[in-house]
Amino acid sequence: MTELETRSGGCHCGRVRFTARGAFDAAISCNCSICGKRGHWLAFVPAGDFELEQGADSLSDYQFSHRRIHHLFCATCGVGSFGRGTAPDGSAMVAVNVRCLDDVDLTAVTVTAYDGRSA
């Protein structure tokens, strides 16, 4: 079983900062129309295990298609460090961009492709 850890992260300019508790040694790389362009590696955590510490007023929200996911990004630097949505069981979840976590060794992250284009 993967060990849970608490990590901090944020956007490039530092206006958006968060703390999340989850398993960040694995992530998905989605090929849907937005993820394929953004290049995010996503790890999912329950909304209760995510705390936006600063920058709520700096976030812009982009939704498309079924409008189920809030693709949030910093209005200043444009970096999307996380998004909010609903898990398949209906619970609130946060998709953390592992690339935006502080001091993560990206070579140690197991990345699995996810076919979001077909979903």
Side-chain angles (χ1 to χ4, degrees):
M1 182 170 172
T2 303
E3 189 172 326
L4 299 180
E5 57 184 329
T6 300
R7 292 283 198 155
S8 294
C11 68
H12 185 261
C13 71
R15 291 181 192 257
V16 175
R17 296 291 302 163
F18 65 85
T19 301
R21 180 167 171 73
F24 302 115
D25 60 343
I28 67 159
S29 176
C30 178
N31 68 353
C32 77
S33 62
I34 194 168
C35 290
K37 291 183 183 289
R38 294 173 93 185
H40 291 177
W41 288 357
L42 302 174
F44 299 89
V45 301
D49 289 340
F50 180 90
E51 181 180 350
L52 180 60
E53 295 176 358
Q54 70 182 43
D57 57 340
S58 296
L59 290 172
S60 288
D61 186 1
Y62 178 67
Q63 295 182 355
F64 66 100
S65 188
H66 300 291
R67 305 177 77 78
R68 288 185 223 150
I69 301 171
H70 294 268
H71 300 274
L72 301 167
F73 61 95
C74 175
T76 300
C77 67
V79 170
S81 52
F82 70 95
R84 295 186 187 270
T86 305
D89 68 2
S91 62
M93 64 86 189
V94 176
V96 174
N97 182 358
V98 174
R99 292 178 178 266
C100 291
L101 294 172
D102 298 339
D103 303 319
V104 168
D105 177 5
L106 293 175
T107 63
V109 177
T110 301
V111 181
T112 302
Y114 175 75
D115 186 10
R117 285 186 186 171
S118 300

